[in-house]
Amino acid sequence: QVQLVESGGGLVQPGGSLRLSCAASGSIFSINSMGWYRQAPGKQRELVARITNSHNTNYADSVKGRFTISRDNAKNTVFLQMNSLKPEDTAVYYCNANIRPTVFRVNDYWGQGTQVTVSS
């Protein structure tokens, strides 16, 4: 009964900013890592950014210096601050979390996706 809910997507002008949020809820024993992936039309889904429970981060080369991932462990929430947005950032963004729902299991969970469109 783990659910990820994203928010914050929308339409933005090139050079603008958006802040995505993803909250995990349900039966959660612990969260190992949370991240953001994106998929543009005709392209493979790719990792955008990921953050571990020790706050180590990694980013796709295409977003380094522009995007920042952060995490509020108390709220089981991950954020993606997206600055200096480019048209090539247009994609459906998916929240992902590697979660131990019980002491016995580890599973990957996905949000429903949120559309980010960067266009003038």
Side-chain angles (χ1 to χ4, degrees), residues 56-72:
N56 292 321
T57 60
N58 64 296
Y59 297 89
D61 288 340
S62 59
V63 307
K64 287 180 179 177
R66 300 188 297 120
F67 293 7
T68 302
I69 190 168
S70 60
R71 180 176 176 177
D72 185 337

Side-chain angles (χ1 to χ4, degrees), residues 38-66:
R38 67 186 182 188
Q39 187 167 22
K43 299 187 68 176
Q44 297 282 90
R45 184 175 298 188
E46 64 175 352
L47 173 69
V48 177
R50 195 160 194 90
I51 185 167
T52 70
N53 58 1
S54 59
H55 288 247
N56 292 321
T57 60
N58 64 296
Y59 297 89
D61 288 340
S62 59
V63 307
K64 287 180 179 177
R66 300 188 297 120

Side-chain angles (χ1 to χ4, degrees), residues 46-109:
E46 64 175 352
L47 173 69
V48 177
R50 195 160 194 90
I51 185 167
T52 70
N53 58 1
S54 59
H55 288 247
N56 292 321
T57 60
N58 64 296
Y59 297 89
D61 288 340
S62 59
V63 307
K64 287 180 179 177
R66 300 188 297 120
F67 293 7
T68 302
I69 190 168
S70 60
R71 180 176 176 177
D72 185 337
N73 289 336
K75 298 181 179 179
N76 292 331
T77 300
V78 65
F79 306 94
L80 186 67
Q81 180 66 46
M82 309 165 66
N83 298 328
S84 301
L85 283 161
K86 304 174 180 179
E88 51 263 42
D89 295 318
T90 296
V92 177
Y93 284 70
Y94 296 91
C95 179
N96 171 267
N98 184 256
I99 293 175
R100 185 178 290 277
T102 73
V103 70
F104 303 111
R105 302 200 67 180
V106 177
N107 293 318
D108 277 324
Y109 297 89

